């Protein structure tokens, strides 16, 4: 954890072109305000990921965990944002349960930059 934190701090402090290319992997969970209104191509989530995720690494990915139902579900607009959905993985696949033993309402979302054809 300390090494990861050190890497982020170094990247923020260093203004070299290489460090401005973004991260190869982004992991986020329950980022409430970022996950609001994701059906809109100008939602804060898409703008933030566009800034943070590497443009030079075609294998760079984003893994997000959030609820999978209702208006809070991450909705990926097709064709209008620079990202594409690679996979949705329900939390039940990992035997996740709520405190009262019900099936989990969480899912993992895997995204990557849209591949140029």
């Amino acid at each position: 954890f300390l090494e990861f934190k050190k890497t982020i701090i170094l990247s923020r402090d260093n203004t070299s072109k290489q460090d401005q290319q973004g991260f190869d992997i982004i992991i986020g969970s329950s980022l409430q305000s970022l996950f609001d209104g994701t059906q809109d191509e100008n939602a804060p989530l898409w703008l933030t990921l566009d800034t943070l995720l590497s443009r030079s690494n075609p294998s760079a990915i984003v893994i997000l965990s959030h609820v999978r139902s209702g208006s809070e579900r991450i909705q990926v607009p097709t064709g209008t944002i620079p990202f594409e959905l690679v996979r949705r993985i329900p939390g039940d696949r990992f035997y996740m349960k709520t405190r009262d033993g019900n099936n989990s309402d969480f899912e993992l979302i895997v995204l990557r930059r849209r591949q140029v054809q």
Side-chain angles (χ1 to χ4, degrees), residues 3-49:
E3 200 60 37
F4 177 73
K5 184 176 179 183
K6 181 179 175 185
T7 301
I8 291 173
I9 291 169
L10 287 174
S11 292
R12 287 183 183 163
D13 292 341
N14 192 332
T15 57
S16 73
K17 183 174 176 140
Q18 184 175 354
D19 284 333
Q20 293 177 3
Q21 291 179 356
F23 295 98
D24 292 337
I25 185 168
I26 296 172
I27 301 171
S29 176
S30 299
L31 305 169
Q32 301 301 342
S33 62
L34 276 181
F35 290 168
D36 290 341
T38 56
Q39 71 279 2
D40 179 4
E41 65 187 52
N42 293 314
L45 176 64
W46 309 127
L47 300 174
T48 301
L49 292 179

Side-chain angles (χ1 to χ4, degrees), residues 54-93:
S54 172
R55 294 174 185 272
S56 60
N57 180 354
S59 299
I61 62 167
V62 177
I63 302 171
L64 304 173
S65 174
H66 197 59
V67 295
R68 63 180 172 184
S69 62
S71 62
E72 294 180 343
R73 182 177 193 191
I74 297 173
Q75 299 175 36
V76 183
T78 42
T80 60
I81 60 171
F83 302 99
E84 62 186 2
L85 178 66
V86 175
R87 192 166 181 192
R88 284 188 189 270
I89 306 168
D92 300 336
R93 177 111 185 253

